[in-house]
Amino acid sequence: FAKGNQYSFVPCRWYVRALFYAGSFHLLIDDAKGADGLFQECLAVDVHDKLGARHKQLICVLLDKNGIRNPRVSNILKAKFGDDQVIDDTFTNWKYTRALYYFVSKGKCSKADKLLMDAIDKNPYVASLLLNHDLSMETDLLMQLGTISEATEYVKDSCGYGNSTWTETEGAIAWLEILYCHHPKAILPNMTVDCSRLLSKGTRILDNYGGSKGIPKSALDKGIASFWKLLDTLG
């Protein structure tokens, strides 16, 4: 078959689907290398990726022994897909993978922090699961973006590649925990969403007031008083 957008030609769809399902099967039996080759072939004849082979291929690359440090990760993150040929920035796995890759490549910096905060904003449940927080696993039958079902797909399903990618990257979990506690959407264990946001706000108050040097004592007292008021609300 010729390379290109063959999926738009109905008689070719069976071939594209066969490649996709064969790759999915190889991934299920822990043959990531074999699956990667099949998904690559699938994308070659379906450049608009109607079946979502790019998501599966990203999993294959992250399951490689080099993991997030595999240079192919950068190429996949920069690739353009779909009818509009844009960089994929809709799904949780791309958001968190992009943030982690930047952290590994450049270290902890403002750009890496921004990417991770954007990822948490997209789906805070991923961070909670990566930090082993106890969450209610009640979810919708069908996966929806930004929900716990999507987070579970990234962290625990799909060979658990999301969890292993983060835990095996030195300093990544500690970095995630610090930023997550400062995010207004943070859902901490055994707390309601509203209480978690109050605690997040209180943490930022202490950072703003107590973390600076040479600030007026009145401002520091005000910050501490505000924090204790929030703790009383939580209690």
Side-chain angles (χ1 to χ4, degrees):
F1 279 80
K3 297 184 184 302
N5 187 23
Q6 298 300 321
Y7 196 80
S8 62
F9 184 47
V10 176
C12 293
R13 290 183 181 177
W14 64 268
Y15 175 69
V16 181
R17 288 172 180 159
L19 288 172
F20 178 82
Y21 292 127
S24 300
F25 175 74
H26 278 265
L27 193 56
L28 284 174
I29 61 173
D30 298 326
D31 179 17
K33 185 176 180 180
D36 184 20
L38 288 163
F39 290 131
Q40 184 64 36
E41 191 174 349
C42 181
L43 288 168
V45 295
D46 178 23
V47 293
H48 289 182
D49 192 21
K50 296 295 187 181
L51 299 178
R54 66 190 185 279
H55 302 295
K56 300 281 190 178
Q57 187 179 44
L58 181 60
I59 295 173
C60 295
V61 174
L62 290 173
L63 286 172
D64 177 77
K65 63 180 180 180
N66 294 316
I68 193 70
R69 291 177 174 80
N70 190 321
R72 287 186 59 207
V73 173
S74 176
N75 296 331
I76 293 177
L77 291 175
K78 293 177 182 176
K80 297 180 179 181
F81 297 99
D83 295 330
D84 299 326
Q85 287 294 285
V86 295
I87 293 176
D88 204 322
D89 204 29
T90 302
F91 299 91
T92 285
N93 58 338
W94 296 88
K95 284 277 190 180
Y96 276 88
T97 302
R98 186 170 284 111
L100 183 59
Y101 182 79
Y102 207 92
F103 172 76
V104 169
S105 304
K106 306 293 183 181
K108 189 183 183 309
C109 59
S110 58
K111 178 63 181 296
D113 288 353
K114 183 180 185 303
L115 287 171
L116 182 55
M117 292 296 269
D118 287 346
I120 295 171
D121 189 67
K122 187 76 175 178
N123 193 324
Y125 296 104
V126 171
S128 286
L129 290 174
L130 287 171
L131 294 171
N132 292 319
H133 290 174
D134 249 346
L135 298 178
S136 169
M137 296 308 288
E138 293 180 7
T139 185
D140 299 319
L141 182 62
L142 298 177
M143 189 189 79
Q144 299 182 45
L145 298 180
T147 64
I148 195 169
S149 59
E150 186 193 20
T152 303
E153 173 71 19
Y154 171 67
V155 178
K156 296 185 179 297
D157 296 342
S158 300
C159 310
Y161 77 100
N163 186 60
S164 61
T165 300
W166 279 83
T167 56
E168 293 172 9
T169 302
E170 185 177 357
I173 292 296
W175 171 56
L176 172 65
E177 187 169 22
I178 291 171
L179 265 65
Y180 185 56
C181 287
H182 288 73
H183 198 286
K185 287 189 177 180
I187 305 168
L188 302 180
N190 303 319
M191 287 188 176
T192 65
V193 173
D194 289 338
C195 286
S196 296
R197 288 174 181 169
L198 283 172
L199 184 57
S200 176
K201 181 179 178 183
T203 304
R204 290 197 301 276
I205 288 173
L206 280 188
D207 281 348
N208 291 336
Y209 287 101
S212 305
K213 294 182 179 180
I215 59 173
K217 185 177 183 301
S218 59
L220 180 60
D221 289 341
K222 181 181 178 182
I224 294 174
S226 299
F227 182 66
W228 285 113
K229 184 177 179 180
L230 287 168
L231 287 184
D232 289 339
T233 305
L234 288 174

